[in-house]
Amino acid sequence: VAAAVAGGAVALVVECAPHLTWLDYHAVIAMSARRVDERDAGWITNGAKLRFHPHYGFGLIDARGACALARLWKPYGAPRSAASGVVDVRAP
């Protein structure tokens, strides 16, 4: 059930700001989420300076807050990639 609710919330955000990319949507959802169980000691600040919990992720999805943020969001631009060639990872 939770995945269906999350999918619906993301669909609303896409409808609010269809010009964004998947990377933008990921950031908008993470930045607009509300922390739950704040007294739990498992909350950490990740490399992007966002609060994260191994059980709760970024927290409770806030569809209204995410839509509001998405409307104001400046897109990151097209995702970039890099090729590193072929690396053999088989054990000897």
Side-chain angles (χ1 to χ4, degrees):
V1 173
V5 172
V10 171
L12 287 172
V13 177
V14 171
E15 198 170 309
C16 289
H19 63 285
L20 301 179
T21 68
W22 66 269
L23 190 57
D24 299 313
Y25 295 123
H26 183 271
V28 165
I29 295 293
M31 290 181 182
S32 62
R34 290 184 283 154
R35 253 185 281 159
V36 294
D37 198 10
E38 291 192 43
R39 287 185 248 164
D40 189 304
W43 288 98
I44 61 162
T45 301
N46 68 11
K49 304 209 183 324
L50 295 174
R51 300 290 287 165
F52 181 83
H53 193 284
H55 298 147
Y56 306 122
F58 293 108
L60 180 67
I61 291 179
D62 178 357
R64 181 177 292 168
C67 276
L69 181 57
R71 286 186 182 112
L72 302 172
W73 191 261
K74 182 180 176 200
Y76 286 136
R80 296 176 181 90
S81 65
S84 62
V86 178
V87 178
D88 187 358
V89 295
R90 292 178 287 178

